[in-house]
Amino acid sequence: MISLKVNGKMYEVDASPETPLLWIIRDDLGLMGTKYGCGIGRCGSCTLHMDGQAVRSCAIPVASAAGKDIVTIEGLSAGGLHPVQKAWLDEDVPQCGYCQSGQIMAAAALLAANPRPDDADIDRAMSGIICRCGTYQRIRRAIHRAAAMQQG
Amino acid sequence: MKNIINVRRNRFLETSFAGGLILAFSLSQTGSSPPSGSSLPAGGESAPADFLLIGPDGTVTMIINKSEMGQGVYTSLAMLIAEELECDWRQIRVEPAPVAAVYNNPLTGMQMTGGSMSVRTEWDRLRTVGAAAREMLLEAAADIWGVPKARCHADNGMVFHDSGRKLSYGELAEKAAGMPVPVEVHLKDPSAFTIIGKPVARLDAKIKVDGTAVFGLDVKTPGMLTAVIERPPFFGGTVKSLDPARALAVPGVTGVVKTDSGVAVIAEGFWAARKGRDVLDIVWDEGPHAEISTDTIRQRYAALAQNAGRVARDKGNFGAALVSAAHRLTASYEVPYLAHANMEPLNCAIDLKDDRCDIWVGTQAQTLHRDAAAAVLGLEPQQVSLHTTYLGGGLGRRGNPHSDFIVMAAEVARAIKKPVKVVWTREDDMRGGYYRPFWYSRFSAGIDKSGDLTAWHQRLVGQSIMTGTAYARRLIKDGVDATSVDGAADIPYEIPNLLVDLHSPMVGVPVQWWRSVGHSQNGFMVESFMDEIAHATRRDPYQFRRALLKDHPRHLSVLDLAAQKAGWGSPLPSGRARGIAMCESYGSFVSEVAEVSVSPDGKVRVHRVVCAVDCGRTVNPSTIEAQMEGGIVFGLSAALHEAITLEDGSVRQSNFDTYPVLRMDEVPLIEVYIVESKGAPGGVGEPGVPPIAPAVANAIFSATGRRIRRLPIGVVEMEKM
């Protein structure tokens, strides 16, 4: 059994240790907001927070997530009211929406580490997450907006 | 004046609407002529044909017959109803429609989403639905108050009487449902619109930022298993022999079945299924296409282009005009196979019972896919309930005309008779075929002594995507697939002698439409060659196009607006150059100007893209802007990076490491300008795509003198400068 802390709750999961954290989150815990896109850590749809860092959960064996503080899109905020989520709504960012959990989790981690990112910072933090709908420009605007919001 | 035909209450939704029905509508397929612009097909099904329910709490539920795949259709179609209904926008909910003939696209006779057609085909019908409901609510209030209806008016979910009395739609709904259905309704003059034409935030934004939107991959019913399918390494291959023992030994694997598509490994969850698949022992019969390669396709196409093809357009006398031309120009262009690479890999969930089944799937082709599943499962279509989820991108792929991802899932469900979700890995999705076809074109142009373009010939070589599909009869005439020559046979430029012909070779690579379809290759090829002619005649590429579009005001207006906003002709920082292109597609006109630089080692950087669009009467400007931005990113991604190539019968790419797509750090600043237009609504999902590749390629020529005649651009060869 592997002990996981996800969104503040403790879970005991019976899984082989190399199982990617993504599939534990989705298939065992039933948290469907974290998405599968590539399985090799190249698209970022599965991005979540592990000890505050944005990581690709498809490339993390569940065994190495044991004991870590894991946060998914479901646990980012109460009622979807994190500043990043509010900024996303203000800029009407999503299109198909599939990559947006990953985008939002990456943006939230970026802002936690760097409250006033410039465009180059955003490129560095966000280029790991693909959006085929092409919402990138609105994502950039939303991150700047969320940064401003957090400054108050 | 519009006719409402046979509006009736509906039993199906009456019983399924928990809060108690209250007002439900349908427009019947029978009776006198439907609203202008649509001709509803005579369907054989009795349909739960509803578009609208109003609950006692005032909630307005709109049943949307189009798939939401990012294009904002749930919001734009709700706006059409709401404009006439005068409801409270905050009380609107949207639900995907079930499958029924009344939801068919009137042009294709099927329930489907594609061709940038949703607003265009629903423009009249949904406004009529809203207006009819409003009239019935007014009637109900007038009846309660014992006043003439003419003294009542509707606003923001309430009916008001001149005296100041008021009743909410929720209070009125039950009574309104019993009111006579208006035979005719007045639709607003566009000058009175209060919703249509204003930017409206998406109705599905909230659930897409809190992670609760349900995509096909997120569907899970009690006991539902997960299956992955190992398919042949070559298109057309088959299983010769199978030993499932090692796969069955993987913990969590519950079964291995051979289906017509390959070998399915079924398990409790994706990871076990995937692990089981990794250790399958299969011997394949390679099939007839094990030697196919991009190189041989290219050679074959170039050879075909030496001979005349089937004529798609023949105006004037190209041959004679070319002979008498003072100057001639020829060039060959090529674009690769492309994957759709939707962020959500394909999937389909099925719960098969003895005499019926439920399917949950993100589909763009409800009728076709339901019927295909029914055929595999030995059921009547009416025994199949198809539930449309949110689509993690569509891009055309989820409307597969051969129903591939539905049929594969149905085969597994038939074999195991348990609820199952078939999941494609990214590799399955990318290597599974149904690509935008590889295209080759050979151009010739004749120019007279004064430098005017007198003769134009494009000969296209590429696979027909409509052959063998339900759309073939409508779209293939005299051997010419209309979608092959979209944007080629119908170019707007005034050229006295014009010839477009086409070869449609059969190749063992499955092909399909890809956002903007034929325009995706022809926009690039035509607008690039047009640019070549402009430079050859020493004309400014923008002015050169203008001169050929004298009687085309809508083309001119977008061309002019894009050029003006981009500062066409004004100085740029050293090393930067602009390129322009203009394409008409799906009833809309789009011109784009790209600002580009190329590094000494040939790396392309697109700094800025200015887009001007005339899509007729606008519904949601926010969506139009988003669709142009998205179309530009999508087209730029393909132009710079994307290609599916084949070698020894197998697809070389498998995931985003080998199939790079555009990311945040490469996205240019994009500006979108919408032309104010009273034209009929045009499409917006696709028209942003075609002009970007030629605009960038033309800018690269201006910056470097290197003409891009093959996509993807990749690294520009600079050494030969």
Side-chain angles (χ1 to χ4, degrees):
Chain A
M1 293 296 247
I2 296 164
S3 294
L4 286 180
K5 185 182 174 197
V6 180
N7 299 333
K9 266 175 77 176
M10 296 303 299
Y11 296 89
E12 297 289 318
V13 294
D14 181 13
S16 59
E18 91 293 350
T19 309
L21 177 60
L22 168 67
W23 295 108
I24 300 295
I25 298 267
R26 289 180 57 83
D27 283 349
D28 293 25
L29 310 190
L31 296 169
M32 294 297 195
T34 306
K35 304 302 185 190
Y36 165 68
C38 73
I40 59 167
R42 294 296 286 258
C43 83
S45 292
C46 66
T47 301
L48 47 70
H49 295 174
M50 200 157 80
D51 287 344
Q53 302 288 314
V55 296
R56 315 286 178 245
S57 63
C58 75
I60 292 181
V62 62
S64 64
K68 304 277 174 63
D69 190 6
I70 296 160
V71 177
T72 68
I73 186 75
E74 290 89 349
L76 181 64
S77 65
L81 292 176
H82 187 281
V84 168
Q85 289 167 308
K86 279 196 264 184
W88 244 246
L89 293 176
D90 289 343
E91 295 290 345
D92 213 23
V93 172
Q95 289 190 29
C96 91
Y98 193 77
C99 74
Q100 297 296 340
S101 297
Q103 304 279 6
I104 287 167
M105 295 308 283
L110 165 66
L111 290 174
N114 177 357
R116 290 312 290 262
D118 62 17
D119 280 346
D121 297 329
I122 292 173
D123 284 349
R124 265 191 300 277
M126 301 302 293
S127 287
I129 304 115
I130 297 170
C131 173
R132 286 289 277 167
C133 297
T135 64
Y136 297 116
Q137 182 156 297
R138 291 191 182 195
I139 289 174
R140 186 186 301 283
R141 281 209 302 260
I143 292 173
H144 286 305
R145 180 187 280 265
M149 227 183 266
Q150 281 184 328
Q151 306 282 306
Chain B
M1 297 279 220
K2 300 290 180 187
N3 294 321
I4 286 272
I5 314 118
N6 188 21
V7 179
R8 61 181 166 81
R9 293 182 64 155
N10 181 280
R11 300 290 157 206
F12 173 84
L13 283 166
E14 198 166 346
T15 51
S16 70
F17 190 63
L21 154 90
I22 310 287
L23 185 59
F25 279 111
S26 71
L27 295 172
S28 162
Q29 304 95 299
T30 55
S32 56
S33 59
S36 62
S38 65
S39 63
L40 299 173
E45 299 162 75
S46 75
D50 296 280
F51 293 92
L52 183 59
L53 298 140
I54 300 177
D57 59 354
T59 302
V60 177
T61 304
M62 297 179 176
I63 318 293
I64 305 294
N65 62 338
K66 296 293 173 184
S67 306
E68 179 56 80
M69 50 192 173
Q71 83 281 41
V73 76
Y74 278 9
T75 307
S76 54
L77 294 190
M79 288 169 74
L80 298 184
I81 298 175
E83 179 65 63
E84 292 289 346
L85 183 59
E86 308 289 5
C87 57
D88 179 351
W89 182 258
R90 291 165 304 176
Q91 291 195 294
I92 292 173
R93 306 285 176 274
V94 288
E95 275 182 19
V99 186
V102 74
Y103 298 124
N104 286 355
N105 176 313
L107 296 176
T108 63
M110 289 183 270
Q111 189 173 334
M112 46 81 66
T113 308
S116 298
M117 282 191 278
S118 299
V119 163
R120 291 190 283 162
T121 53
E122 298 298 339
W123 172 252
D124 280 329
R125 167 157 78 169
L126 292 186
R127 287 184 303 140
T128 305
V129 165
R134 180 198 65 222
E135 290 306 307
M136 292 167 79
L137 289 156
L138 286 168
E139 198 76 57
D143 197 68
I144 289 168
W145 292 326
V147 301
K149 194 175 104 184
R151 310 307 294 256
C152 304
H153 74 278
D155 184 36
N156 200 33
M158 308 282 289
V159 175
F160 297 87
H161 180 246
D162 289 352
S163 65
R165 277 180 291 187
K166 60 184 181 182
L167 284 165
S168 73
Y169 281 12
E171 293 169 306
L172 289 167
E174 187 166 7
K175 183 166 181 73
M179 288 290 124
V181 171
V183 178
E184 291 179 332
V185 293
H186 296 274
L187 294 182
K188 282 183 192 173
D189 184 84
S191 62
F193 286 163
T194 57
I195 297 172
I196 293 173
K198 309 282 187 296
V200 171
R202 300 174 65 107
L203 290 167
D204 56 352
K206 177 71 169 64
I207 57 169
K208 288 177 174 179
V209 305
D210 67 15
T212 58
V214 175
F215 298 86
L217 206 62
D218 305 330
V219 170
K220 189 163 189 197
T221 64
M224 182 170 272
L225 298 166
T226 302
V228 295
I229 300 176
E230 180 76 355
R231 279 177 288 154
F234 308 111
F235 297 120
T238 51
V239 178
K240 195 184 274 177
S241 69
L242 162 70
D243 179 358
R246 289 205 296 155
L248 286 167
V250 171
V253 171
T254 61
V256 173
V257 295
K258 184 169 161 295
T259 71
D260 291 345
S261 307
V263 178
V265 178
I266 302 105
E268 291 157 354
F270 172 86
W271 190 246
R274 165 76 200 279
K275 270 170 71 178
R277 188 175 76 167
D278 285 347
V279 295
L280 278 174
D281 291 309
I282 305 173
V283 178
W284 298 100
D285 187 323
E286 294 184 348
H289 304 304
E291 283 170 10
I292 206 163
S293 81
T294 301
D295 286 341
T296 54
I297 290 169
R298 177 180 296 124
Q299 286 160 22
R300 183 180 163 199
Y301 282 18
L304 271 172
Q306 301 299 318
N307 306 313
R310 288 185 184 265
V311 173
R313 177 91 186 270
D314 190 3
K315 173 188 163 194
N317 187 335
F318 168 78
L322 190 70
V323 168
S324 63
H327 309 281
R328 294 176 195 90
L329 206 63
T330 62
S332 297
Y333 281 78
E334 176 194 309
V335 297
Y337 288 110
L338 292 172
H340 301 75
N342 280 300
M343 288 318 298
E344 181 194 12
L346 292 168
N347 59 80
C348 179
I350 302 190
D351 184 359
L352 173 64
K353 302 279 197 283
D354 286 340
D355 59 349
R356 65 177 309 277
C357 103
D358 287 283
I359 300 179
W360 294 266
V361 65
T363 171
Q364 294 176 244
Q366 282 80 359
T367 310
L368 207 60
H369 290 172
R370 178 200 60 175
D371 293 0
V376 171
L377 298 169
L379 297 172
E380 294 299 318
Q382 290 75 11
Q383 294 173 291
V384 176
S385 296
L386 185 147
H387 312 278
T388 303
T389 63
Y390 280 102
L391 282 63
L395 305 174
R397 183 64 179 86
R398 287 191 154 87
N400 184 269
H402 307 283
S403 308
D404 65 334
F405 60 106
I406 315 296
V407 166
M408 281 184 210
E411 288 170 355
V412 177
R414 183 180 61 189
I416 70 168
K417 298 194 169 53
K418 286 178 186 151
V420 65
K421 176 169 60 180
V422 172
V423 176
W424 296 41
T425 64
R426 170 60 55 195
E427 292 80 6
D428 296 339
D429 191 284
M430 194 161 280
R431 307 188 73 207
Y434 294 110
Y435 305 122
R436 195 287 303 275
F438 182 102
W439 283 95
Y440 182 93
S441 268
R442 199 179 141 80
F443 286 93
S444 317
I447 298 152
D448 70 13
K449 280 200 198 82
S450 53
D452 288 334
L453 176 60
T454 54
W456 170 280
H457 175 210
Q458 181 181 1
R459 177 168 296 149
L460 299 96
V461 186
Q463 291 164 261
S464 161
I465 57 177
M466 294 299 175
T467 297
T469 76
Y471 302 90
R473 217 169 47 147
R474 191 168 64 85
L475 291 171
I476 303 179
K477 300 247 157 57
D478 300 325
V480 175
D481 178 337
T483 67
S484 295
V485 295
D486 266 346
D490 52 350
I491 57 173
Y493 299 107
E494 301 283 359
I495 305 165
N497 303 286
L498 186 64
L499 178 64
V500 177
D501 63 344
L502 168 74
H503 291 279
S504 307
M506 299 294 279
V507 179
V509 180
V511 291
Q512 198 193 326
W513 44 73
W514 181 96
R515 191 175 186 178
S516 81
V517 199
H519 296 280
S520 73
Q521 77 268 3
N522 290 323
F524 165 65
M525 294 175 170
V526 165
E527 285 295 293
S528 293
F529 190 59
M530 195 57 76
D531 208 71
E532 289 202 52
I533 300 168
H535 284 283
T537 59
R538 301 187 187 288
R539 312 269 180 93
D540 174 87
Y542 160 52
Q543 294 297 341
F544 180 75
R545 285 174 173 79
R546 284 200 100 252
L548 295 174
L549 293 166
K550 284 196 187 85
D551 299 321
H552 295 77
R554 296 182 77 183
H555 299 86
L556 275 178
S557 75
V558 293
L559 199 60
D560 288 344
L561 185 61
Q564 178 217 325
K565 296 289 185 186
W568 186 264
S570 67
L572 280 169
S574 160
R576 285 200 198 180
R578 296 187 186 93
I580 193 166
M582 188 275 308
C583 302
E584 174 191 354
S585 63
Y586 310 101
S588 293
F589 306 79
V590 181
S591 180
E592 290 164 14
V593 174
E595 227 174 84
V596 169
S597 64
V598 183
S599 69
D601 58 353
K603 201 174 173 324
V604 175
R605 175 87 217 180
V606 182
H607 301 274
R608 179 182 178 219
V609 174
V610 173
C611 168
V613 52
D614 173 358
C615 56
R617 178 98 45 208
T618 61
V619 175
N620 189 349
S622 176
T623 294
I624 295 166
E625 196 178 282
Q627 287 307 297
M628 293 303 126
E629 287 172 11
I632 287 164
V633 168
F634 185 73
L636 183 59
S637 180
L640 291 178
H641 301 302
E642 296 176 32
I644 289 287
T645 57
L646 292 104
E647 219 175 290
D648 298 327
S650 90
V651 175
R652 304 310 297 165
Q653 294 73 25
S654 59
N655 206 319
F656 291 116
D657 50 351
T658 45
Y659 193 88
V661 300
L662 206 77
R663 294 168 181 271
M664 176 69 91
D665 57 355
E666 285 191 304
V667 174
L669 175 68
I670 301 170
E671 298 165 35
V672 178
Y673 300 94
I674 301 170
V675 173
E676 211 169 299
S677 173
K678 290 192 169 117
V684 298
E686 296 168 279
V689 178
I692 189 60
V696 169
N698 295 342
I700 290 171
F701 179 81
S702 287
T704 67
R706 304 294 299 174
R707 177 57 66 182
I708 304 295
R709 296 196 186 93
R710 183 188 282 188
L711 296 182
I713 295 165
V715 173
V716 180
E717 291 174 41
M718 300 290 279
E719 72 278 12
K720 290 177 196 160
M721 277 181 71

